[in-house]
Amino acid sequence: DVLPIPPHAHENQHGQINYFEYKQVQLLSSLGYDNRGPADTNMFVVRPKANTFPHAIPHYAANVWNLAVMPTVRMSGDYATPFLVSDITFRIEWGGGPLNFSASRLCLISQDGEELLLNDMDNLSSWTAPRGTKSRLVNMTMEDGKVVPGIQWSLNSTKSGQSGAQFITMKFNFSFTPNQYPQIAFYWRKSDNKQLARAVILRMASSPYSIDYHSSELEMTPSRTNTKVESRNVTESNGAMDSFASMSYTRWYGASTNYSRSMVLAGQEGVLVVWDELNASSDLNGMQGGPCWHFGPMDTPDMVGKSGVMSHGALVNTLVYLSSFEYNTSGQQLTASNARIGFQTASVWEKTQQQSAFITNDMLPGQQQHFVSVIIPVVSGQEIPTANITMESNGQLQVSLVGLTLDEKMVVYLNESGWGVTRMKI
């Protein structure tokens, strides 16, 4: 995994593009402070076909036990460094009314799948909760029918019914390495599912910093198999560079599912081409997936002077081409679909508002799924570009763009052996 920097670690956002701007105008961004799960940033999202896409609404069911499984490597930054846990905290954020929160089976999981319980959740006195909080022991029935203990905390409403956070903490003194225990897991449930932005945060503290984990809808712990980054100077340009990045993963939502993302940025024109490829395993049967993109401001920034707005360059429209291609095991193309969507990004920060675009396919086992996203900034007064996206049977992607300049055509190509950007006079 490409590790986030402490003190916040958002799980399940592998291969994301957090921010992209052109001519000082933000085009792509995450959902800012509420960026918690896969659907909140610019990445490939997988969800059950029966549910809404890309977000679940609501994010979780009330009074239903949920299992959160998260990688411990984000605590120390590498697999071999010991991590000393000094305390464990559940941070519960909700809409301000009375709320019951329950937790059970907080444990570390070894390489062999063995569980090491950090707390049996059968001792009320081992946890410290806000004043006035009532707690009691409860039972949770696991999938195998085994009944295990848990604790339920009844949180009081906040002042004036406003939303807020409450902290439930247990002092701890335990050291381990992510090599020993690559995962941490716990069960949780809440009586109120109206809080859409954040579910439950598990905070594990140690000197010199703490790490936050945010439980989200679908948990996954993929393994990164390859990462590559390259850049090249653009001929006859003022310092612009074309750049390329790729990353590949195994266990992408499914035990045998392989996923890769390859990206080319044409630095002179600001065109971003993203190629997502997925080979679905039977684990993803009944699921849908595709790339999700968020356009526009993510959060209102701090006040600038007395105006409260911040200039961010000229007005830029964003043109998005989305394509998908399906192949069977023999390499025969089964389907292809295309869409063109336009967005307008304001030149100043005003209020939090964001638009999203996505394209999805059913995740059918045994089929190769290819998704191509072409994000094109269009400066005010510029001709509206056209894009022709083709996928060849030998695995080469080619994107031809006309209208980026008055007399030039650009071709971006990607395949297993290389990449390139060609500019031609027309």
Side-chain angles (χ1 to χ4, degrees):
D1 184 19
V2 179
L3 299 174
I5 299 173
H8 281 86
H10 298 164
E11 81 283 5
N12 298 351
Q13 295 189 336
H14 311 274
Q16 65 145 323
I17 299 175
N18 195 51
Y19 183 85
F20 174 49
E21 70 172 33
Y22 177 71
K23 291 187 181 295
Q24 295 184 294
V25 177
Q26 173 185 296
L27 303 184
L28 290 178
S29 70
S30 69
L31 290 184
Y33 182 75
D34 289 335
N35 176 16
R36 292 294 182 265
D40 300 330
T41 188
N42 303 291
M43 63 171 285
F44 194 94
V45 180
V46 174
R47 288 209 42 76
K49 286 195 296 184
N51 294 353
T52 54
F53 191 95
H55 290 92
I57 303 176
H59 277 197
Y60 55 91
N63 295 310
V64 173
W65 286 102
N66 302 277
L67 174 62
V69 181
M70 296 157 288
T72 60
V73 68
R74 299 207 175 146
M75 287 186 261
S76 60
D78 66 77
Y79 286 92
T81 301
F83 182 82
L84 176 63
V85 181
S86 59
D87 58 74
I88 296 177
T89 299
F90 289 112
R91 171 178 160 170
I92 316 302
E93 190 151 353
W94 83 106
L99 175 77
N100 292 328
F101 167 74
S102 304
S104 180
R105 287 195 68 78
L106 176 62
C107 64
L108 292 170
I109 303 176
S110 71
Q111 295 276 11
D112 300 326
E114 297 294 325
E115 294 184 354
L116 173 65
L117 283 176
L118 296 176
N119 188 268
D120 291 333
M121 308 300 286
D122 61 357
N123 185 356
L124 300 179
S125 63
S126 62
W127 294 86
T128 301
R131 180 178 297 180
T133 300
K134 296 181 180 180
S135 60
R136 67 182 183 92
L137 295 177
V138 295
N139 290 325
M140 182 190 71
T141 303
M142 302 184 68
E143 293 181 357
D144 60 2
K146 181 180 179 181
V147 178
V148 297
I151 299 177
Q152 175 179 291
W153 291 273
S154 297
L155 304 175
N156 294 321
S157 59
T158 57
K159 292 181 180 180
S160 303
Q162 297 176 351
S163 61
Q166 299 272 14
F167 300 89
I168 302 169
T169 301
M170 177 184 68
K171 291 297 180 182
F172 216 75
N173 185 16
F174 183 77
S175 180
F176 68 95
T177 68
N179 271 334
Q180 293 174 291
Y181 298 100
Q183 294 177 324
I184 186 170
F186 67 97
Y187 287 88
W188 64 275
R189 71 179 179 184
K190 290 173 68 176
S191 60
D192 182 358
N193 65 349
K194 296 183 176 63
Q195 169 64 24
L196 299 183
R198 293 168 291 280
V200 176
I201 298 175
L202 176 67
R203 177 169 295 168
M204 305 193 72
S206 176
S207 178
Y209 54 74
S210 68
I211 295 292
D212 289 359
Y213 289 116
H214 305 270
S215 57
S216 56
E217 309 149 13
L218 289 176
E219 303 295 340
M220 65 167 179
T221 54
S223 295
R224 180 170 52 87
T225 57
N226 181 56
T227 300
K228 188 176 183 181
V229 179
E230 296 178 356
S231 60
R232 301 169 186 164
N233 289 320
V234 178
T235 305
E236 298 179 353
S237 73
N238 186 23
M241 300 187 73
D242 296 328
S243 55
F244 163 84
S246 67
M247 53 200 73
S248 303
Y249 298 90
T250 59
R251 300 203 308 268
W252 187 267
Y253 286 102
S256 303
T257 297
N258 297 320
Y259 165 77
S260 65
R261 164 165 280 189
S262 300
M263 298 164 280
V264 171
L265 173 62
Q268 184 172 336
E269 298 82 3
V271 174
L272 180 64
V273 177
V274 181
W275 177 12
D276 294 303
E277 180 180 358
L278 184 136
N279 296 301
S281 64
S282 57
D283 304 70
L284 299 191
N285 202 14
M287 308 289 277
Q288 61 179 329
C292 182
W293 305 104
H294 301 294
F295 302 87
M298 54 180 179
D299 274 335
T300 304
D302 295 335
M303 295 288 284
V304 180
K306 296 182 179 180
S307 64
V309 298
M310 183 168 58
S311 176
H312 254 242
L315 182 66
V316 172
N317 295 321
T318 308
L319 185 63
V320 185
Y321 284 87
L322 300 173
S323 297
S324 68
F325 305 88
E326 289 180 293
Y327 292 82
N328 61 18
T329 53
S330 302
Q332 178 184 5
Q333 188 177 112
L334 301 176
T335 63
S337 57
N338 298 276
R340 192 182 84 161
I341 308 169
F343 294 95
Q344 187 176 88
T345 302
S347 59
V348 295
W349 290 94
E350 293 173 342
K351 59 182 180 180
T352 303
Q353 54 183 342
Q354 196 166 47
Q355 302 174 88
S356 301
F358 55 86
I359 187 170
T360 66
N361 276 343
D362 292 344
M363 299 286 97
L364 301 177
Q367 290 189 5
Q368 278 192 338
Q369 306 271 356
H370 298 268
F371 297 83
V372 183
S373 306
V374 184
I375 298 166
I376 309 168
V378 184
V379 178
S380 181
Q382 178 183 324
E383 177 185 352
I384 302 298
T386 59
N388 182 38
I389 302 169
T390 58
M391 180 77 68
E392 299 179 8
S393 59
N394 61 1
Q396 173 161 306
L397 165 69
Q398 181 167 298
V399 180
S400 301
L401 298 111
V402 178
L404 294 168
T405 65
L406 293 176
D407 57 354
E408 192 175 80
K409 174 183 178 182
M410 186 177 72
V411 178
V412 177
Y413 73 87
L414 267 168
N415 55 38
E416 292 183 357
S417 59
W419 65 281
V421 180
T422 304
R423 297 166 175 85
M424 299 165 285
K425 297 292 182 180
I426 55 176

